[in-house]
């Protein structure tokens, strides 16, 4: 049995109900959950490939599709996400099971009805009043395309695994805290306890029921009466509940008042008496007495403890990634096979350059780009001081001298004018680094380099270090397309936009560079006949027509290269990750927006600036904090956050101040004042796609607390 929305109230409760009867796989999106005896997996079901992968692997005989955005107000405000989850995801599940013998059960809602007169039967025409109801009805239409499917229109309450509370739990919590609450006297429903609903689903599955059914309690009441019934059963004073009209509450989304369900059809077809509201509340109470809420939350605690550590960045690996790697491990070739080539093809397709060469790290990518640029002793390579040491080391590996050019205090990227001042007749390359994901002003860099090439009558290569910037744009052009560069390098380290464990790539539009890069990642060895020297040993005549054929064992080393080969195992992971890059990008953007909004106007803290020329896929979220004026050091801030399980980082200690460079190249403090000033105040906050909204809020509130 596959259950979507396993972290939600119904998904979790169904898993508990069915776990002894079925082998269950539960899917969650942003809220990892642990449930005893059940395999839970992260899966973005709005992504067709992800759904396809999990269904192919699990091969379920029953799918209960509970995943849904259910907050009526949020649905009205966030229509595109609501559509993705309530409609597109449902369509994906239908599409991916269309030729399979799978029982699909879709959990819909009483909100598909308009609530004007109540006692709705399945024959009544749906007429949803709000976007939630509308998208759930559109989901029903998708499900109805599949034979043998079953749709339940319902309204439920129960014990939730998460802090988010269903109506019953919320009422109880407020009463326990002795708080006065309002109850709608003019909103009627037939809300059924989740475990009672589970029993109905159980019978329906066994009877192979098909079609659309209402499922709620056999009677109905107003929400005010419901609250009073809860108070009575749990022994609290009903005086705490005030009757009000739903019209007085100020909801933005329209809501029906009489959403009561006629449940005659299901009762007849499965020959089962549905509980009354009183009976449903009685079961809710009984499970409370048996410690069900504590038990399900206890199981969850273990997961929360794991996810309570929020690193500044981390990989996002799902089931499909694991399967892709496992498939390759079982295949004939685990290195330099079909996955490497396919990964390179997809990189080219995604980035828009002509060629890609995948290697085993971002550092290797930079080194090979420098080798292909023929950088050698006596040459100079200009790069940013605000980067990882690899952007400078690549020049050092070739015997060249790294030269550091200062950054903008707005974008923290290298300044084109500063580069201009550093170019001389020894300059062979410029390595602009797109820090934190935001592209450098590449048109200015390009124009300046062209001018200097003319001035010094020499070729100056532009090698973009885009380790942080996969999926970013500059002036509408994709980073990686090499629109302003000879080569662009990427890194696929776990904290980056996609990961291959370790890995990197070089993109280029130059065929000669491409051929040489391929050789250099493999010791400088070639098997391409036109690149070879030794004709006499390479070939032997094989036919009467005197045509020659390359000897089967033959290869030549024609350059000095390295073993920078990436494996098929890594590229299988990379390919699977690439499919999710856009959803990763969207999630990163959501988190950045949450941070920006929350920190706007916070004294002593500056949020990242985004140039109007850029559309950035943020790799890092760097804030500047005026540690001196808030009177607490960065180390103390980091330690305090760490105590709360929040791990921040500093990107970067200016490279020219590292002892190695100081000693070897006589660089030092004072060389790049902007980078040094930036370094005093910067702090990278956690940012990765698996971060939940509550993780993000936790970081926000911890930062705000530490600043006051
Ligand atoms: C800007 C930059 N360049 C290069 C690299 C090197 O990449 P890798 O760790 O894949 O070798 C990194 C890695 O963090 C980086 O951040």
């Amino acid at each position: 049995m596959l259950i979507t929305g396993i972290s939600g109230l119904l998904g979790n409760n169904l898993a508990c109900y069915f776990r002894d009867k079925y082998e269950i796989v539960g899917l969650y999106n942003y809220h990892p959950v642990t449930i005893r005896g059940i395999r839970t997996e992260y899966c973005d079901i709005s992504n067709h490939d992800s759904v396809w992968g999990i269904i192919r692997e699990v091969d379920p005989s029953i799918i209960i599709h509970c995943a849904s955005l259910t907050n009526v107000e949020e649905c009205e405000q966030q229509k595109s996400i609501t559509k993705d989850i309530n409609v597109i995801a449902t369509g994906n599940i239908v599409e991916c099971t269309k030729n399979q013998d799978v029982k699909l059960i879709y959990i819909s809602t009483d909100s598909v009805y308009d609530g004007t007169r109540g006692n709705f039967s399945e024959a009544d025409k749906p007429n949803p009043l709000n976007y939630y109801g509308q998208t759930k009805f559109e989901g029903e239409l998708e499900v109805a395309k599949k034979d043998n499917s079953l749709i339940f229109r319902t309204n439920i309450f129960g014990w939730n695994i998460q802090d988010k509370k269903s109506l019953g739990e919320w009422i109880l919590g407020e009463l326990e805290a002795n708080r006065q609450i309002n109850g709608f006297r003019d909103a009627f429903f037939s809300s059924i306890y989740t475990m009672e609903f589970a029993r109905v689903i159980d019978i329906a599955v066994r009877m192979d029921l098909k079609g659309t059914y209402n499922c709620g309690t056999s009677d109905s009441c107003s929400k005010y009466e419901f609250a009073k019934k809860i108070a009575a059963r749990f022994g609290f004073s009903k005086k705490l509940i005030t009757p009000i009209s739903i019209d007085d509450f100020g909801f933005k989304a329209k809501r029906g008042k009489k959403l009561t369900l006629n449940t005659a059809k299901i009762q007849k077809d499965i020959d089962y008496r549905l509980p009354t509201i009183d009976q449903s509340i009685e079961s809710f109470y009984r499970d409370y007495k048996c410690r069900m809420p504590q038990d399900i939350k206890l199981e969850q605690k273990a997961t929360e403890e794991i996810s309570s550590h929020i690193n500044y960045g981390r990989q996002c690996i799902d089931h499909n990634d694991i399967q892709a790697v496992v498939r390759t491990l079982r295949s004939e070739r685990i290195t330099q096979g079909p996955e490497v080539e396919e990964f390179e093809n997809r990189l080219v397709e995604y980035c828009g350059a002509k060629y890609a060469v995948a290697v085993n790290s971002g550092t290797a990518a930079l080194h090979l780009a420098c080798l292909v640029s023929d950088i050698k002793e006596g040459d100079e390579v200009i790069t940013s001081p605000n980067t990882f040491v690899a952007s400078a080391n690549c020049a050092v590996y070739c015997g060249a001298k790294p030269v550091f050019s200062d950054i903008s205090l707005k974008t923290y990227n290298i300044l084109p004018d500063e580069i201009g001042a550093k170019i001389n007749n020894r300059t062979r390359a410029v390595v602009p680094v797109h820090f934190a994901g935001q592209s450098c002003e590449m048109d200015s860099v390009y124009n300046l380099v062209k001018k200097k090439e003319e001035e010094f009558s020499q070729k100056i290569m532009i090698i973009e270090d885009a380790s942080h910037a996969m999926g970013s744009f500059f002036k509408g052009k994709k980073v990686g397309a090499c629109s302003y560069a000879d080569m662009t390098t990427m890194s696929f380290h776990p904290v980056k936009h996609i990961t291959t464990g370790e890995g990197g790539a070089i993109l280029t539009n130059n065929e000669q560079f491409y051929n040489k890069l391929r050789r250099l990642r493999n010791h400088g060895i070639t098997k391409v006949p036109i690149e070879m020297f030794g004709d006499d040993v390479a070939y032997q005549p094989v036919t009467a027509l005197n045509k020659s054929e390359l000897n089967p064992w033959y290869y030549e080393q024609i350059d000095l290269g390295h073993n920078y080969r990436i494996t098929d195992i890594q590229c299988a992971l990379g390919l699977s990750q690439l499919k999710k890059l856009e959803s990763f990008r969207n999630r990163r953007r959501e988190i950045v927006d949450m941070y920006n909004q929350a920190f706007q106007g916070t004294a002593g803290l500056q949020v990242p600036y985004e140039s109007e020329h850029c559309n950035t896929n943020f790799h890092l979220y760097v804030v500047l904090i005026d540690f001196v004026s808030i009177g607490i050091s960065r180390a103390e801030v980091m330690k305090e956050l760490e105590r709360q399980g929040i791990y921040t980082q500093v990107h970067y200690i200016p490279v020219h101040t590292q002892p190695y460079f100081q000693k070897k190249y006589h660089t030092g403090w004072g060389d790049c004042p902007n980078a040094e000033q930036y370094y005093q105040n910067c702090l990278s906050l956690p940012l990765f796609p698996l971060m939940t909204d509550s993780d993000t809020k936790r970081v926000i509130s911890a930062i705000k607390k530490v600043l006051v």
Side-chain angles (χ1 to χ4, degrees), residues 577-590:
Q577 290 262 300
L578 256 181
K579 290 183 188 157
K580 290 170 290 195
L581 181 51
E582 284 312 290
S583 72
F584 289 168
R585 186 182 200 283
N586 294 341
R587 182 61 191 155
R588 282 177 179 272
R589 172 50 71 175
E590 279 172 10

Side-chain angles (χ1 to χ4, degrees), residues 312 360-366 386-391 433-435 465-468 489-493 495-496 502-504 619 651-652:
Y312 86 87
N360 54 17
S361 72
T363 307
L366 281 164
N386 187 30
T387 184
F388 186 57
V389 290
S391 319
V433 180
H434 304 315
F435 177 73
D465 182 346
S467 297
H468 296 189
T489 66
M490 307 250 168
S491 159
F492 308 127
H493 178 272
V495 295
K496 302 296 191 326
E502 295 280 355
H619 157 55
H651 297 99
Y652 287 98

Side-chain angles (χ1 to χ4, degrees), residues 11 69 90 96 117 132 169 222 247 286 316 327 348 369 449 458 481 521 590 605 638 643 656 700:
L69 275 197
T90 307
C96 295
R117 60 166 177 76
Y132 166 61
E169 264 184 300
S222 73
D247 297 331
R286 217 177 33 236
C316 176
R327 263 198 308 278
V348 159
V449 165
Q458 69 200 21
R521 89 171 150 194
E590 279 172 10
L605 183 149
M638 288 177 79
R643 263 193 292 279
H656 65 281
I700 291 166

Side-chain angles (χ1 to χ4, degrees), residues 113-121 123-125 257-260:
Y113 300 117
D114 59 17
T116 46
R117 60 166 177 76
N119 196 29
F120 288 99
S121 77
D124 290 316
K125 205 169 171 304
K257 283 186 180 164
K258 292 183 188 151
L259 287 169
T260 56

Side-chain angles (χ1 to χ4, degrees), residues 189-191 217 219-221 226 229 275-281:
F189 65 171
S190 318
S191 195
T217 43
D219 58 353
S220 55
C221 70
F226 182 78
K229 285 172 190 285
T276 60
I277 290 205
D278 283 338
Q279 286 167 339
S280 235
I281 289 175

